[in-house]
C-alpha cells in the first residue's frame, strides 16, 4: 500500500507541475513578438532616467541609447551606418527600444540608422555615430633614437584618405608621412626622424586630436642615468654600486642613451629563490647617512612627492634583453628603502627579505615562459601604488610611504614563482620617477 500511495502522489505532483508550466508559458503578456508593418522613430534619448529628456542626434561607439516611437517591435534588424547592432528583445516594447551602438568603426558613413522589418523593408533615421579622438597611451621606447623604429599604442588611430592621420612631436613638429611605417586602430609604427623634440606627442585624426600621456625622451626626475647626462647619478652607492657599461662594451646591444647598467654573466636556476647573485644582478643606492644623500631630498623628486603623492607617481626605465640571453627566472625586485632599513652608516642586506618592506616585483617572463626584447630597448612603467609585495610575492601589508623613498635597490631574485634555468643579460638605463598621467 505504501508503494501505491507514493506512485499516486508522484502522478498527482507531476500533473500539478505540468499544469503550472502550462499556465506559466501562456501567461506572458509582455513576451516579445515580432510584428508586421514598419517602425516609426520619433526621437532618440539617453537611457539614464535622470536625463531621459535629453534628446540625441548622435552617440559614441558602444554607448546604449533609447529609440522612442511606434511599432518598434517590427524591427527585425538594425544597422548604424554599415554596422549591425544586436537586438535584445527583452529591451524592446512597441514604443521603446534600448540598443547599443556597435563598437566597430563604420567603413561607409551615412549618418543614418537603418531598420529592417521581416519583409526586408527599410526605415531610415538620421543619426550620427561618434568616434572618439585618438587615445595616445604608451610608446615602445621613450628614448628611441633617430633612425630607430618606435610604436605608439592607444586606440582610434583612424587614417582616412580624405583626412590622413598625423603624428606630432612637441612644438607641432610633424613626423613626415614617409616615416610612418604602419597604422592600425591601436598602434602606429614610425621611424624616428632627426628633428625629434622632447616632450608630449600628439596624434590627429579626422575625429580630433589628443596629447600623449607620456613624454618622448622624458628627462623628468631621472634618478640614475649612469653618466650624469640628464642630472641622474652615475652609479649606485653601497655594497654594490652596479656594473656600469659604456657604449660599445657589449656587442649584442646598442646603447640607447650613453652609459647603462648591466646584470648578467651568471646562470640563474629556475627554482624559486634558488639563485642569489648580488654581485651580478644587483645594485644598491643607500643614503650617506640618516640625513644626507636621500633620493627623496633631491629637489625635483621632493617636489613631485609633495604634488602627486605616492599614488600619483610611477617608476620608469628602459630595458634591453637580447634574444640569445633571454630571462626566464626570478623577479626584478625594485626596493625603495627608508633610512631605518639601511644607510651607508649601517650597511646590510637584511632588508631584502624584510616582509614588512613593500617593493615592486616585475617578472615579464611569466606569461610566455621567457622574456627578451630582441636586443631593442623598451620602456617599462611601474606605478608606485603597485609596490605592495614581499620578496616572495606575497602582500607586504602596506604600500609605500614617502619616508621609504630614501634609497633604492634593484635585485633580480626570488619573486615566489618557479621559472626555468637561464643565462640572462639585462641592460637598464634612465631610472626615473614621474607622474602618472
Amino acid at each position: 500500500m505504501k508503494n501505491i500511495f507514493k506512485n499516486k502522489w508522484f502522478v498527482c505532483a507531476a500533473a500539478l507541475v505540468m499544469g503550472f508550466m502550462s499556465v506559466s508559458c501562456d501567461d506572458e503578456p509582455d513576451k516579445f513578438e515580432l510584428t508586421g508593418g514598419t517602425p516609426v522613430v520619433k526621437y532618440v534619448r539617453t537611457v539614464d532616467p535622470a536625463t531621459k529628456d535629453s534628446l540625441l542626434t548622435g552617440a559614441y561607439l558602444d554607448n546604449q541609447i533609447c529609440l522612442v516611437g511606434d511599432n518598434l517591435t517590427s524591427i527585425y534588424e538594425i544597422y548604424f551606418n554599415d554596422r549591425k547592432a544586436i537586438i535584445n528583445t527583452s529591451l524592446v516594447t512597441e514604443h521603446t527600444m534600448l540598443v547599443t551602438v556597435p563598437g566597430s568603426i563604420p567603413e561607409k558613413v551615412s549618418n543614418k540608422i537603418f531598420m529592417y522589418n521581416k519583409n526586408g523593408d527599410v526605415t531610415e533615421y538620421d543619426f550620427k555615430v561618434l568616434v572618439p579622438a585618438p587615445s595616445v597611451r604608451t610608446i615602445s621606447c621613450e628614448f628611441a633614437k633617430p633612425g630607430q623604429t618606435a610604436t605608439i599604442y592607444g586606440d582610434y588611430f583612424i587614417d582616412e584618405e580624405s583626412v590622413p592621420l598625423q603624428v606630432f612631436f612637441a612644438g607641432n613638429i610633424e613626423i613626415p608621412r614617409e616615416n610612418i611605417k604602419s597604422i592600425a586602430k591601436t598602434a602606429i609604427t614610425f621611424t624616428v626622424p632627426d628633428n625629434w623634440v622632447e616632450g608630449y606627442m600628439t596624434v590627429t585624426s579626422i575625429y580630433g586630436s589628443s596629447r600623449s600621456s607620456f613624454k618622448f625622451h622624458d628627462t623628468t626626475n631621472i634618478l640614475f642615468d649612469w653618466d650624469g647626462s640628464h642630472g641622474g647619478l652615475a652609479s649606485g652607492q653601497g655594497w654594490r654600486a652596479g656594473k656600469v657599461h659604456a657604449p660599445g662594451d657589449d656587442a649584442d646591444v646598442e646603447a640607447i642613451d650613453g652609459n647603462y647598467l648591466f646584470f648578467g654573466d651568471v646562470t640563474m636556476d629556475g627554482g624559486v629563490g634558488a639563485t642569489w647573485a648580488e654581485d651580478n644582478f644587483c645594485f644598491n643606492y643607500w643614503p650617506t647617512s640618516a640625513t644626507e644623500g636621500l633620493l627623496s631630498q633631491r629637489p625635483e623628486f621632493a617636489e613631485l612627492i609633495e604634488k602627486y603623492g605616492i599614488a600619483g607617481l610611477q617608476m620608469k626605465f628602459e630595458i634591453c634583453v637580447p634574444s640569445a640571453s633571454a630571462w626566464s627566472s626570478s623577479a626584478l625586485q625594485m626596493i625603495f628603502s627608508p633610512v631605518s632599513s639601511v644607510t651607508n652608516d649601517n650597511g646590510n642586506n637584511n632588508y631584502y627579505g624584510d616582509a614588512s618592506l613593500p617593493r615592486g616585483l616585475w617578472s615579464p617572463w611569466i606569461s610566455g615562459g621567457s622574456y627578451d626584447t630582441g636586443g631593442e630597448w623598451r620602456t617599462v612603467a611601474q606605478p608606485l601604488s603597485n609596490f605592495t609585495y614581499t620578496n616572495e610575492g606575497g602582500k607586504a601589508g602596506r604600500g609605500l610611504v614617502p619616508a621609504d623613498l630614501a634609497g633604492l635597490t634593484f635585485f633580480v631574485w626570488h619573486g615566489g614563482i618557479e621559472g626555468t634555468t637561464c643565462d640572462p643579460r639585462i641592460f637598464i638605463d634612465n631610472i626615473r620617477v614621474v607622474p602618472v598621467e
Side-chain angles (χ1 to χ4, degrees):
M1 292 297 294
K2 288 182 179 180
N3 288 338
I4 293 174
F5 177 80
K6 285 183 178 179
N7 288 340
K8 284 184 176 180
W9 179 89
F10 176 79
V11 171
C12 291
L16 285 171
V17 170
M18 291 299 293
F20 175 76
M21 291 177 64
S22 176
V23 170
S24 297
C25 291
D26 293 337
D27 188 20
E28 295 184 56
D30 296 327
K31 180 182 178 182
F32 176 84
E33 292 184 6
L34 189 67
T35 56
T38 56
V40 174
V41 176
K42 297 179 179 178
Y43 58 88
V44 180
R45 64 170 175 82
T46 65
V47 296
D48 183 358
T51 59
K52 66 181 182 179
D53 294 331
S54 299
L55 305 187
L56 302 175
T57 59
Y60 283 100
L61 304 173
D62 283 322
N63 277 14
Q64 192 178 55
I65 59 175
C66 180
L67 309 185
V68 180
D70 297 318
N71 197 28
L72 300 186
T73 49
S74 68
I75 300 175
Y76 180 66
E77 288 184 335
I78 183 168
Y79 289 78
F80 289 76
N81 296 302
D82 57 353
R83 300 301 188 188
K84 186 177 180 179
I86 296 174
I87 297 176
N88 184 344
T89 56
S90 64
L91 301 178
V92 182
T93 70
E94 180 182 357
H95 300 294
T96 60
M97 171 185 278
L98 300 186
V99 62
T100 299
V101 179
S104 55
I105 297 171
E107 292 185 2
K108 184 177 180 181
V109 178
S110 58
N111 291 324
K112 290 183 181 294
I113 300 175
F114 299 99
M115 295 158 284
Y116 293 85
N117 65 10
K118 60 184 177 181
N119 295 324
D121 300 325
V122 61
T123 300
E124 300 179 4
Y125 184 82
D126 292 335
F127 193 80
K128 293 181 179 180
V129 173
L130 307 176
V131 179
S135 171
V136 192
R137 297 170 187 159
T138 62
I139 191 169
S140 56
C141 181
E142 291 183 8
F143 277 79
K145 299 189 298 186
Q148 294 182 335
T149 298
T151 300
I152 294 172
Y153 298 99
D155 207 350
Y156 304 112
F157 298 144
I158 309 304
D159 187 35
E160 286 282 342
E161 184 177 351
S162 59
V163 184
L165 183 131
Q166 296 172 287
V167 185
F168 298 89
F169 291 115
N172 208 35
I173 304 299
E174 183 175 2
I175 295 178
R177 185 69 184 192
E178 59 267 24
N179 283 52
I180 298 178
K181 302 304 179 184
S182 65
I183 299 173
K185 180 173 176 287
T186 58
I188 304 167
T189 299
F190 66 98
T191 300
V192 179
D194 291 334
N195 63 335
W196 64 269
V197 176
E198 178 183 338
Y200 294 108
M201 300 184 71
T202 300
V203 177
T204 299
S205 77
I206 189 174
Y207 298 108
S209 297
S210 292
R211 195 191 72 173
S212 66
S213 58
F214 61 86
K215 289 181 180 180
F216 191 64
H217 280 245
D218 188 4
T219 57
T220 301
N221 192 37
I222 290 185
L223 303 178
F224 299 90
D225 54 23
W226 312 109
D227 53 22
S229 58
H230 301 303
L233 297 170
S235 71
Q237 181 170 286
W239 287 349
R240 289 165 183 86
K243 294 184 177 181
V244 178
H245 285 196
D249 284 354
D250 300 280
D252 53 353
V253 62
E254 180 183 354
I256 189 70
D257 190 36
N259 294 350
Y260 49 88
L261 179 68
F262 168 68
F263 290 153
D265 288 347
V266 165
T267 296
M268 183 167 289
D269 192 275
V272 178
T275 300
W276 176 288
E278 279 185 274
D279 289 339
N280 293 79
F281 287 97
C282 180
F283 96 88
N284 309 128
Y285 177 83
W286 301 339
T288 305
S289 68
T291 58
E292 296 182 358
L294 283 64
L295 290 178
S296 55
Q297 289 180 346
R298 293 168 63 90
E300 189 171 19
F301 199 7
E303 183 178 342
L304 291 175
I305 296 168
E306 176 68 23
K307 183 175 181 180
Y308 294 97
I310 299 295
L313 295 173
Q314 61 184 329
M315 174 178 283
K316 284 188 174 184
F317 53 88
E318 274 62 55
I319 191 168
C320 177
V321 181
S323 55
S325 51
W327 174 17
S328 60
S329 178
S330 295
L332 172 60
Q333 306 216 10
M334 300 162 284
I335 311 170
F336 280 108
S337 53
V339 296
S340 58
S341 292
V342 64
T343 68
N344 265 346
D345 290 339
N346 66 344
N348 69 88
N349 58 14
N350 297 328
Y351 66 97
Y352 293 170
D354 182 354
S356 67
L357 182 63
R359 80 274 319 268
L361 298 180
W362 188 54
S363 306
W365 50 266
I366 292 177
S367 60
S370 68
Y371 174 79
D372 69 83
T373 65
E376 304 293 331
W377 289 88
R378 296 286 180 264
T379 297
V380 177
Q382 297 288 307
L384 296 194
S385 59
N386 290 347
F387 283 46
T388 58
Y389 296 96
T390 69
N391 66 291
E392 296 181 348
K395 286 294 185 178
R398 69 173 181 88
L400 291 174
V401 296
D404 293 326
L405 307 181
L408 179 65
T409 291
F410 273 23
F411 186 16
V412 183
W413 169 62
H414 214 304
I417 302 294
E418 185 173 1
T420 58
T421 300
C422 57
D423 293 280
R425 289 168 57 80
I426 301 171
F427 306 93
I428 293 173
D429 204 356
N430 293 331
I431 299 173
R432 56 198 182 275
V433 176
V434 299
V436 175
E437 297 192 30

